[in-house]
Amino acid sequence: MNYWTAAPDIVDAFVQPGGHEGTSIPLELTLRTLTAVSPERPLRVVDLGGGDAALAVRLAMAGHEVVVQDIDPQMIALGEQRLARGPSAIRDRVRLICADGATMAADQAEVADLVCCHSVLMYEDDPAPLARTAVALCKTGGLVSIVAINPAAAAMRSGLAQRWAEARIALETGSDAHGPYAASRNHPRETVEGLLSEAGAGIVEWSGIGIFTDHHAGPILADDPEDVLRAEWLAGRLDPYRQVARCYHLIARKL
Ligand SMILES: C[S@@+](CC[C@H](N)C(=O)[O-])C[C@H]1O[C@@H](n2cnc3c(N)ncnc32)[C@H](O)[C@@H]1O
């Protein structure tokens, strides 16, 4: 079962009005981590479930070549629109392919220095095929980057936003599936670490994303926006803060 393709209005919910072009705290933190762990040279990147190419465009701006592989033709169309609005130098470095990342063609194996799979595993009941694809697409010595919702912190978003009934149910059931969000399956970090390791990748590091800011629906007030990113970055690398982050960001290396 794929919860993304099963939810008819999910693309509209994902693309907030006026928000398609902007960046976000999770995107900025993710990019900082990728910059910190990646070698300083142009990389071949595959972004599995890369959707509207927001990450791909930022990686292409940094000089990398990116293939976005996404199951949803609507998301690929949004990616094409984003590329069409940008400079041709960026367009030339990004390729969009509509395909299910859980069923990979064998001839695509070992093509990438970096494989990203961000906010995608939660749409699969079984995350194993996507995790296997991510590792298979990676060259030996290359990196796999997974961002996924942290089920251990299921009540944090609703609790901090004062949606108390939701917080209570999340604590009672261990799931936030009853909230105003599309259905998903949030797989624990330890499960995904196990899958990556079975597929032949060793964990390099993990951090938390969205500790102080995830529950804010509106703009975040700050004298200097860099303070927000720096606070999130530092807390994301420290226990106990990272344990209650909305998402975990796992970096693994193909052995
Ligand atoms: C929440 S969006 C995340 C998009 C992007 N990775 C990001 O971090 O903003 C989830 C994306 O995963 C894609 N997706 C879900 N299941 C997939 C699968 N099995 N193979 C490829 N893409 C998938 C969806 O089409 C959607 O574009």
Side-chain angles (χ1 to χ4, degrees):
M1 159 94 178
N2 182 293
Y3 294 99
W4 183 278
T5 48
D9 298 327
I10 198 163
V11 174
D12 295 336
F14 178 75
V15 181
Q16 304 294 325
H20 184 48
E21 287 306 328
T23 185
S24 66
I25 289 170
L27 178 59
E28 293 304 321
L29 291 168
T30 303
L31 280 161
R32 283 181 189 207
T33 297
L34 292 179
T35 304
V37 297
S38 298
E40 280 186 40
R41 59 180 167 79
L43 302 175
R44 296 189 68 186
V45 184
V46 174
D47 191 7
L48 269 183
D52 61 355
L55 175 69
V57 164
R58 293 291 296 275
L59 291 172
M61 284 164 68
H64 306 301
E65 299 221 339
V66 190
V67 175
V68 173
Q69 185 174 332
D70 197 284
I71 200 170
D72 186 340
Q74 263 186 287
M75 292 299 281
I76 293 287
L78 288 173
E80 279 164 357
Q81 289 164 23
R82 183 189 292 279
L83 288 177
R85 285 191 295 274
S88 63
I90 299 300
R91 217 161 31 242
D92 291 347
R93 288 204 279 273
V94 179
R95 203 151 53 90
L96 300 162
I97 298 173
C98 192
D100 183 349
T103 53
M104 190 208 65
D107 62 0
Q108 281 187 296
E110 306 228 334
V111 290
D113 305 296
L114 170 66
V115 178
C116 299
C117 185
H118 297 168
S119 303
V120 187
L121 294 186
M122 65 215 210
Y123 298 108
E124 296 282 353
D125 266 328
D126 178 6
L130 269 178
R132 277 198 295 269
T133 297
V135 177
L137 287 170
C138 198
K139 294 178 192 166
T140 300
L143 295 173
V144 176
S145 167
I146 306 274
V147 174
I149 291 182
N150 171 19
M156 289 301 287
R157 175 185 276 188
S158 47
L160 292 173
Q162 303 190 70
R163 298 198 305 266
W164 299 115
E166 261 177 57
R168 177 178 60 75
I169 300 169
L171 288 162
E172 285 169 356
T173 63
S175 156
D176 61 2
H178 52 279
Y181 314 106
S184 64
R185 274 287 301 280
N186 299 330
H187 306 286
R189 176 174 54 82
E190 294 78 0
T191 304
V192 179
E193 285 179 352
L195 292 171
L196 292 173
S197 128
E198 272 167 36
I203 303 305
V204 174
E205 63 163 59
W206 77 273
S207 52
I209 296 179
I211 296 154
F212 304 123
T213 51
D214 172 73
H215 64 288
H216 284 282
I220 290 169
L221 302 177
D223 293 333
D224 180 353
E226 181 55 28
D227 287 339
V228 181
L229 289 170
R230 186 75 185 144
E232 284 279 0
W233 170 270
L234 291 171
R237 280 155 180 78
L238 269 186
D239 286 323
Y241 299 104
R242 65 179 181 166
Q243 306 279 351
V244 295
R246 175 69 177 166
C247 294
Y248 54 85
H249 188 178
L250 271 177
I251 302 289
R253 188 179 301 284
K254 171 106 167 240
L255 303 171

